[in-house]
Amino acid sequence: MPTSHIQQTDAVDTLLAEYAAGTLPLPVRRIVEAHLEMTPGNRRFVEALEMVGGAELEAIEPMPLADRDAILAAIFAQGDAATVPGHGAAAQATPDARPADALPSALSHYLPGGVATAKWRRLLPSLKECQLDEQDGMVTKLVWVRRGAAIPSHTHHGTEITLVLSGGFTDGPHHAARGDIVVADDSVDHRPIADADEDCICIAITDAPLRLTGPIGRLFAPLMRG
């Protein structure tokens, strides 16, 4: 998994490249597919990567992954992109026009009846979670944060990949809105704050437990561990 939190664009592009290469574990692949349903602008990047096989990708001169325009230009230089149709889940996905209560189709098997059917476990008055899956050493959870509320300060023993389903949150200098992916790791000690105008609902994958760091978080740590 990528480990950069500061350079979120680079971290997400790394996920998209790994998705196109078919190397992501299933839980993370589902998150990326849901992101592509909700964020059509990133589909072209993935489709371009899918157009070429491993050999062609290796032939492209190395360049920073964050230089997305240069990567696309290099890929399209390998042939006429107009004659090669996109394929895979990214090409077939359509914009998610369903209400926020319905999960994107890549995740809908977790809660076919939508978020309203989630079996929440309340951690704090302003924080709830619902575990959806555990496989490949990764736990997938639905997380609800009350509008304007903050998640207690914490860091991570591993990597956390979060997809915003509704609402949004601020995390230091970053703001994440519906459809955005945020990657955090053990180099980050943060305190995400939900937007003031709407409750925030996210789906998050972790490959190791988080560790509460602030005084309030340490007070509630036994409760949050269940």
Side-chain angles (χ1 to χ4, degrees):
M1 290 186 187
T3 58
S4 171
H5 173 74
I6 301 301
Q7 298 178 353
Q8 280 299 319
T9 299
D10 193 39
V12 173
D13 280 358
T14 299
L15 277 178
L16 296 177
E18 292 175 348
Y19 171 80
T23 60
L24 290 176
L26 180 58
V28 182
R29 187 165 75 242
R30 287 170 174 161
I31 286 280
V32 173
E33 288 175 353
H35 166 71
L36 293 171
E37 289 180 46
M38 301 171 73
T39 313
N42 276 340
R43 287 196 213 121
R44 181 171 179 264
F45 180 62
V46 172
E47 289 168 0
L49 293 175
E50 289 180 328
M51 286 178 187
V52 295
E56 285 89 345
L57 282 173
E58 290 177 1
I60 297 173
E61 183 177 352
M63 63 189 69
L65 185 58
D67 192 354
R68 180 181 292 202
D69 291 339
I71 292 174
L72 291 175
I75 290 172
F76 289 132
Q78 304 296 316
D80 184 1
T83 64
V84 184
H87 63 283
Q92 296 171 5
T94 56
D96 180 20
R98 294 173 297 173
D101 181 66
L103 297 181
S105 60
L107 305 171
S108 61
H109 66 285
Y110 288 134
L111 293 171
V115 174
T117 64
K119 296 180 180 180
W120 295 106
R121 181 170 75 101
R122 188 173 293 277
L123 304 178
L124 297 171
S126 59
L127 178 64
K128 298 186 291 187
E129 70 175 21
C130 171
Q131 182 165 326
L132 303 175
D133 188 32
E134 183 172 2
Q135 63 174 299
D136 297 334
M138 300 176 183
V139 176
T140 303
K141 293 181 179 181
L142 197 66
V143 179
W144 172 91
V145 186
R146 179 176 295 159
R147 65 190 68 189
I151 295 178
S153 298
H154 64 279
T155 186
H156 302 269
H157 290 295
T159 300
E160 178 184 63
I161 299 173
T162 301
L163 172 67
V164 182
L165 298 177
S166 62
F169 65 87
T170 299
D171 188 2
H174 307 286
H175 180 263
R178 185 175 185 272
D180 287 343
I181 287 179
V182 177
V183 181
D185 60 22
D186 59 2
S187 70
V188 177
D189 191 329
H190 60 159
R191 183 174 175 267
I193 302 173
D195 291 351
D197 59 347
E198 184 179 357
D199 295 342
C200 182
I201 298 177
C202 301
I203 190 164
I205 292 178
T206 54
D207 58 8
L210 59 81
R211 179 172 62 86
L212 297 172
T213 56
I216 295 178
R218 287 194 292 270
L219 178 65
F220 285 100
L223 174 63
M224 296 188 68
R225 285 197 296 265

